[in-house]
């Protein structure tokens, strides 16, 4: 019917050319169909316009709802329309009631409960008092009880609550769960005794819903009942969430009757243990703090005696809710007399979290205490209390050389955004311990403290290798073009591989702002005056480009074995694709250890290059002619599969009969990869390859018959059976032609 309307509408427009700009002669049904054809809308403006037009068309829901299909049916546009109407009407109060009435009338007429459920969901957007009666009719329906109950919760009136309660008195099974939860969400006091009567059910889900509902309603009359349930569960968490519900119940009562909650929480503190019932114990303490404020100070301090760190930490966290001087005075008094290092560290950390600035002097003193945990806590807390004033003492505390203290200090200083950090860190470096020096250099690098580069240069001549390396690494973040000579001078004398590597990166960073050709010229200028030109080859590799490549390749052709080795390593690390032909030539011409490494690099760089798939295939096929090792051949074939080319499919297919099983299986996967992703490749040659791949496949997922069939079907279903014109040639002749073409 809907399709007929649309076709009729299109014919009317197409054949008769009616001008709607003058007089819109369309019927209501045709107008609705026209709007639906434009859904979903491309943007919010179009959506609002279409929904406004649809809303004005005299109860469009009555026309649309019969067109809704069962799940799996094709009614997406109809659902878009009804859902869109509900959301559109929800934005304006005057539009809600009329649409709610239309949806309410459509629900009884719907073909099934599945469709009614959809309509109930849309009704939630616009429902008001007028929809209570509609929902009431379905509270006894197992499928729709939950949807109807949620609708009544959305309405939220006394009538809605009473309707839910009336239904609960007659309900059974799953209906009870939905109704109990709904009454709890509405916090309907009159329902409390009836809901409480359901406690003790053998249905854990109903028990959970009852506890949730009673905790939401928070009726004083059910306190003893809830307490008995929690006590029977030994004040521990279990599937019905009784403890969680009881805590929530007390929290809700505390909003209007804090004295009641305080008394109940105090009782919970007495009857529970932080050893076996810590969840209940910590929750009770939090409730007591929130209900009594300053009166809970002594309980917080008492909790600090607990052997359980989790309970102590919870107490200190709850202390942040008490901002009075009384709480601070009690904590600082306890801290000054605390002998246990772990507990003292926890107290110091709490001062930081609480923001107790009055504790700064005490906290600063603790940076120089004997226990590492106390000192670490003090460093962090001091920065939280006064970032600027903490800089100097943190730096002094790091000079001890203790690795944990240095690490904590470094992390903390990096979190302090103040200019004094780099100034004081740089000033401290000359007299600092080795561990601290390294951390300070790393801080200067992280902060890109260019103005302190001379301080860093000074440490490049340190007698300690780890400090020199840290300084070399720091230079990477600080250098610019003017530093080229200085970095080059360091490179010329560096002997340790890690230092050389760091300085090479620093030189590359120094030339970074120049063009590629200028970068190359700057490095070549240093090479020309250096007694150790080889240390610059990796920098040229980082830069890339043809001029640097020519220079390094020339060095590789030297008779000096050491020079050749350094140059070759640079070629392997070359940063752009220009090196690919060079690597191929080395792999093809060399008979020494360079050949295998060059070919591996050639394969990897070809696969990673941005060249066209067809060009990659040619390069990879070239690699097959350089006597690759077995594993190299497998990599080549794998990458040929990734080219996705027709000739790549045929090339990989040649290795389906390879004697090496690993090579053969690489070919299987390459054929599979290309065939599955390119169903347009077909013909006799392709069919033969696919059949052969299926036959020899030993992949784990195809070790059984089902797996093999799946492999076959995945490929065969994607292409029609067809033949290719070989122009009178045999298959062998066609293969020969292919070899000649690709070569």
């Amino acid at each position: 019917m809907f399709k007929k309307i649309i076709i009729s509408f299109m014919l009317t427009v197409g054949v008769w050319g009616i001008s709607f700009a003058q007089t819109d002669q369309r019927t209501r049904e045709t107008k609705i169909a026209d709007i639906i054809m434009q859904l979903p809308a491309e943007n919010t403006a179009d959506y609002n316009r279409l929904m406004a037009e649809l809303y004005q068309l005299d109860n469009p829901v009555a026309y649309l709802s019969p067109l809704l299909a069962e799940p799996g049916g094709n009614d997406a546009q109809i659902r878009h329309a009804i859902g869109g109407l509900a959301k559109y009407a929800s934005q304006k109060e005057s539009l809600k009631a009329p649409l709610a009435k239309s949806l309410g009338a459509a629900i009884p007429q719907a073909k099934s409960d599945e469709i009614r459920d959809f309509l109930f969901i849309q009704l939630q957007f616009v429902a008001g008092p007028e929809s209570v009666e509609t929902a009431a009719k379905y509270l006894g329906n197992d499928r729709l009880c939950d949807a109807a109950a949620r609708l009544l919760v959305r309405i939220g009136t006394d009538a809605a609550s009473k309707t839910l309660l009336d239904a609960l008195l007659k309900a059974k099974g799953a209906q009870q769960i939905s109704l109990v939860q709904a009454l709890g969400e509405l916090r309907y006091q009159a329902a409390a005794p009836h809901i409480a009567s359901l406690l003790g059910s053998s249905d854990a889900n109903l028990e959970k819903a009852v506890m949730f509902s009673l905790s939401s309603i928070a009726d004083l009359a059910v306190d003893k009942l809830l307490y008995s349930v929690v006590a029977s569960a030994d004040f521990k968490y279990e599937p019905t969430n009784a403890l969680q519900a009881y805590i929530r119940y007390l929290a809700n009562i505390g909003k209007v009757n804090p004295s009641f909650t305080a008394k109940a929480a105090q009782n919970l503190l007495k009857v529970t243990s932080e050893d076996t019932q810590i969840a209940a114990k910590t929750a009770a303490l939090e409730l007591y703090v929130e209900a009594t404020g300053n009166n809970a100070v002594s309980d917080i301090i008492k909790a600090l005696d607990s052997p359980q760190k989790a309970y102590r930490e919870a107490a200190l966290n709850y202390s942040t809710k008490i901002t009075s001087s009384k709480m601070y005075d009690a904590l600082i008094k306890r801290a000054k007399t605390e002998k246990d290092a772990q507990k003292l560290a926890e107290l110091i950390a709490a001062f930081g979290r609480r923001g107790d600035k009055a504790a700064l002097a005490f906290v600063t003193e603790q940076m120089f205490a004997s226990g590492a945990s106390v000192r670490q806590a003090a460093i962090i807390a001091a920065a939280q209390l006064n970032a600027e004033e903490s800089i100097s003492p943190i730096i002094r505390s790091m000079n001890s050389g203790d690795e944990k203290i240095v690490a904590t200090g470094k992390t903390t200083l990096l979190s302090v955004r103040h200019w004094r950090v780099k100034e004081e860190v740089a000033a401290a470096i000359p007299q600092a311990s080795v561990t601290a020096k390294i951390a300070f250099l790393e801080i200067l690098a992280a902060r890109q403290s260019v103005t302190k580069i001379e301080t860093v240069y000074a440490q490049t001549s340190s007698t300690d290798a780890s400090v020199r390396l840290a300084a070399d690494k720091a230079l990477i973040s600080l250098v610019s073009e003017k530093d080229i000579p200085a970095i080059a001078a360091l490179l010329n004398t560096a002997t340790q591989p890690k230092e050389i590597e760091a300085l090479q990166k620093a030189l590359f960073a120094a030339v970074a702002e120049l063009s590629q050709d200028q970068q190359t010229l700057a490095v070549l200028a240093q090479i020309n005056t250096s007694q150790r030109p080889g240390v610059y080859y990796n920098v040229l590799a980082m830069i890339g480009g043809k001029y640097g490549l020519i220079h390094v390749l020339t060095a590789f052709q030297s008779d000096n074995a050491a020079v050749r080795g350094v140059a070759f390593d640079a070629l392997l690390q070359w940063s752009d694709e220009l090196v690919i032909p060079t690597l191929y030539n080395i792999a093809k011409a060399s008979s020494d250890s360079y050949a295998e490494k060059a070919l591996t690099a050639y394969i990897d760089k070809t696969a990673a290059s941005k060249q066209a798939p067809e060009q990659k295939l040619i390069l990879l096929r070239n690699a097959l002619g350089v006597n690759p090792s077995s594993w190299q051949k497998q990599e080549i074939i794998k990458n040929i599969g990734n080219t996705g080319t027709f000739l790549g499919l045929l090339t990989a297919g040649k290795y389906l009969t390879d004697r090496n099983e690993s090579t053969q299986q690489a070919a299987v996967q390459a054929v599979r990869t290309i065939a599955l992703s390119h169903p347009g490749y077909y013909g006799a040659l392709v069919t033969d390859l696919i059949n052969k791949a299926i036959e020899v496949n030993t992949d784990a997922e195809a070790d059984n018959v089902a797996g093999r069939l799946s492999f076959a079907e995945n490929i065969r279903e994607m292409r029609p059976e067809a033949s290719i014109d070989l122009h009178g040639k045999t298959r062998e002749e066609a293969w020969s032609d292919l070899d000649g073409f690709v070569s």
Side-chain angles (χ1 to χ4, degrees):
M1 176 65 182
F2 181 53
K3 289 182 178 178
K4 289 180 180 178
I5 291 172
I6 294 173
I7 293 169
S8 174
F9 168 65
M10 293 173 68
L11 286 173
T12 301
V13 175
V15 176
W16 299 106
I18 294 175
S19 173
F20 295 116
Q22 297 175 356
T23 304
D24 193 342
Q25 300 293 329
R26 295 174 298 165
T27 65
R28 166 178 167 270
E29 289 76 11
T30 304
K31 291 176 182 178
I32 292 174
D34 183 32
I35 291 171
I36 291 172
M37 287 294 290
Q38 300 178 62
L39 296 177
E42 293 185 1
N43 53 59
T44 303
D46 285 347
Y47 160 81
N48 286 331
R49 175 181 57 79
L50 291 171
M51 290 304 105
E53 292 177 8
L54 188 59
Y55 188 90
Q56 298 298 323
L57 293 177
D58 185 25
N59 192 11
V61 171
Y63 173 75
L64 293 169
S65 57
L67 301 176
L68 287 167
E70 297 291 346
N74 186 15
D75 64 348
Q77 287 178 302
I78 304 299
R79 290 179 181 252
H80 270 301
I82 296 175
L85 275 172
K87 294 179 180 67
Y88 172 76
S90 70
Q91 299 170 21
K92 193 171 183 181
E93 200 62 36
S94 62
L95 304 182
K96 290 183 180 180
L99 187 62
K101 184 178 179 181
S102 296
L103 288 167
I107 288 173
Q109 305 300 320
K111 302 173 198 173
S112 69
D113 284 346
E114 296 298 329
I115 294 175
R116 291 188 186 94
D117 183 66
F118 168 76
L119 293 172
F120 264 119
I121 293 171
Q122 310 317 311
L123 184 52
Q124 287 186 41
F125 288 100
V126 294
E130 73 287 329
S131 299
V132 171
E133 186 177 344
T134 299
K137 296 176 182 177
Y138 296 92
L139 292 175
N141 181 310
D142 284 345
R143 174 64 182 84
L144 296 174
C145 177
D146 188 64
R150 290 181 183 279
L151 177 62
L152 290 170
V153 171
R154 182 65 66 93
I155 295 170
T157 61
D158 285 342
S161 298
K162 188 176 185 306
T163 299
L164 285 166
L165 178 56
D166 290 343
L168 177 62
L169 298 177
K170 298 177 285 187
K172 293 182 180 180
Q175 295 173 16
Q176 289 179 312
I177 296 174
S178 296
L179 295 167
V180 166
Q181 287 177 328
L183 287 164
E185 289 180 34
L186 288 170
R187 301 192 174 187
Y188 190 45
Q189 291 286 329
H194 302 286
I195 295 173
S197 69
L198 297 174
L199 272 176
S201 169
S202 58
D203 186 339
N205 289 326
L206 177 57
E207 191 83 349
K208 188 174 181 178
V210 168
M211 291 297 292
F212 163 80
S213 187
L214 292 176
S215 72
S216 300
I217 296 171
D219 186 349
L220 287 174
V222 301
D223 174 65
K224 291 183 179 179
L225 182 61
L226 292 181
Y227 181 83
S228 66
V229 174
V230 176
S232 67
D234 196 25
F235 302 101
K236 295 177 181 177
Y237 285 122
E238 37 70 58
T240 67
N241 287 345
L243 175 60
Q244 183 179 359
Y246 184 58
I247 297 301
R248 187 168 179 267
Y249 165 79
L250 293 179
N252 283 331
I253 288 181
K255 296 172 184 176
V256 294
N257 193 342
S259 61
F260 179 89
T261 296
K263 184 177 179 181
Q266 199 168 38
N267 176 64
L268 265 182
L269 285 170
K270 291 178 182 178
V271 300
T272 56
S273 163
E274 65 263 35
D275 295 325
T276 58
Q277 299 154 320
I278 191 168
K281 188 85 169 179
T282 53
L285 181 59
E286 184 177 21
L287 285 170
Y288 190 66
V289 169
E290 291 181 340
T292 66
N294 269 341
N295 291 337
V297 169
S298 60
D299 293 88
I300 294 287
I301 298 302
K302 181 181 178 182
L304 302 183
D305 292 326
S306 172
Q308 297 296 329
K309 180 180 179 180
Y311 188 57
R312 298 195 306 268
E313 291 280 13
L316 289 170
N317 283 334
Y318 301 150
S319 79
T320 60
K321 299 175 184 288
I322 306 173
T323 57
S324 67
S325 59
K326 182 179 179 181
M327 185 75 257
Y328 168 72
D329 291 342
L331 289 172
I332 195 69
K333 180 180 178 181
R334 175 61 181 257
K336 289 180 176 179
T337 58
E338 183 60 69
K339 303 300 182 185
D340 184 286
Q342 180 59 48
K343 291 181 180 180
L344 178 56
E346 292 165 7
L347 277 160
I348 292 170
F351 288 134
R353 292 196 300 273
R354 286 171 48 83
D356 289 321
K357 295 187 181 300
L360 181 59
F362 173 77
V363 169
T364 301
E365 290 176 10
Q366 302 310 308
M367 287 189 202
F368 306 95
S370 56
S373 61
V374 172
R375 296 170 65 194
Q376 287 176 284
I379 288 170
I380 297 169
Q384 291 172 325
L385 295 174
N386 190 319
E388 182 180 355
E389 293 302 316
S390 68
I391 296 171
S392 294
I394 290 175
I395 290 172
R396 291 200 308 274
S397 72
M398 292 171 68
N399 262 329
S400 67
D402 184 298
E403 290 186 2
K404 290 182 179 179
I405 303 303
V406 170
T408 301
K410 172 189 165 184
T411 302
T412 304
L413 288 175
L414 285 173
S415 71
V416 175
R417 296 296 174 184
H418 196 281
W419 61 269
R420 282 180 54 188
V421 172
K422 66 179 181 181
E423 295 296 333
E424 297 197 27
V425 161
I429 287 177
Q431 294 78 35
S433 64
V434 167
T435 308
K437 277 184 179 181
I438 294 171
F440 292 153
L441 288 165
E442 290 170 346
I443 290 172
L444 292 180
R447 287 294 175 82
Q448 295 184 320
S449 307
V450 176
T451 59
K452 302 302 174 185
I453 194 169
E454 293 304 323
T455 300
V456 177
Y457 273 130
Q459 298 305 312
T460 60
S461 58
S462 171
T463 56
D464 187 282
S466 59
V467 173
R468 288 199 309 273
L469 179 59
D472 294 338
K473 289 181 176 180
L475 287 172
I476 298 170
S477 301
L478 307 179
V479 294
S480 61
E481 183 182 354
K482 66 180 177 57
D483 294 292
I484 294 174
I487 299 298
L490 292 171
L491 251 182
N492 288 333
T493 57
T495 57
Q496 297 302 311
K498 288 184 178 180
E499 288 185 49
I500 292 173
E501 180 183 353
L503 290 167
Q504 287 170 338
K505 291 178 180 178
L507 182 55
F508 179 59
V511 301
E513 296 301 319
L514 304 174
S515 69
Q516 187 180 61
D517 287 348
Q518 289 173 328
Q519 290 176 12
T520 303
L521 289 173
V523 174
L524 290 176
Q526 299 303 321
I527 290 176
N528 291 336
T529 60
S530 174
Q531 299 298 313
R532 302 173 62 208
V535 295
Y536 293 91
Y537 295 163
N538 278 347
V539 184
L540 291 174
M542 296 176 200
I543 295 169
K546 62 181 179 180
Y547 298 117
L549 180 60
I550 292 170
H551 187 92
V552 175
L553 180 58
T554 301
F556 175 68
Q557 294 166 346
S558 165
D559 293 332
N560 186 311
V563 172
R564 291 195 76 201
V566 174
F568 181 69
D569 287 342
L571 292 172
L572 295 180
Q573 299 175 49
W574 208 260
S575 60
D576 58 35
E577 299 176 12
L578 292 176
V579 77
I580 291 176
T582 298
L583 292 171
Y584 173 75
N585 290 332
I586 294 173
K588 186 177 181 181
S590 298
S591 58
D592 50 25
S593 60
Y594 293 127
E596 183 176 358
K597 291 181 179 179
L599 184 58
T600 298
Y602 173 80
I603 296 167
D604 292 343
K605 289 182 183 295
T606 296
S609 72
K610 297 179 181 179
Q611 300 195 51
E614 293 77 12
Q615 182 62 27
K616 281 188 181 182
L617 173 64
I618 292 173
L619 296 176
L620 291 167
R621 277 181 58 89
N622 288 342
L624 288 170
V626 190
N627 193 28
S629 65
S630 176
W631 68 267
Q632 285 176 326
K633 187 182 293 185
Q634 292 155 33
E635 275 300 300
I636 295 168
I637 295 171
K638 172 187 172 183
N639 287 310
I640 285 175
N642 292 335
T643 67
T645 59
F646 177 72
L647 293 178
L649 174 68
L650 301 183
T651 301
K654 293 184 64 176
Y655 293 88
L656 291 172
T657 55
D658 197 277
R659 293 182 179 180
N660 183 292
E661 184 178 354
S662 296
T663 301
Q664 181 192 62
Q665 293 309 303
V668 168
Q669 294 308 316
V671 169
R672 181 180 189 176
T673 297
I674 298 175
L676 286 175
S677 58
H678 292 82
Y681 298 162
Y682 63 87
L685 287 175
V686 176
T687 300
D688 283 353
L689 290 178
I690 292 171
N691 287 333
K692 185 62 178 178
I694 294 169
E695 179 185 342
V696 302
N697 180 36
T698 61
D699 190 11
E701 69 181 37
D703 279 346
N704 52 57
V705 174
R708 287 176 178 270
L709 286 174
S710 175
F711 179 19
E713 289 168 1
N714 282 344
I715 294 177
R716 285 172 174 161
E717 287 179 2
M718 296 182 67
R719 54 174 41 77
E721 290 297 329
S723 62
I724 187 169
D725 185 0
L726 301 181
H727 303 288
K729 296 182 179 180
T730 65
R731 294 279 173 84
E732 290 71 20
E733 289 171 333
W735 278 112
S736 178
D737 285 354
L738 173 66
D739 282 340
F741 174 76
V742 175
S743 298

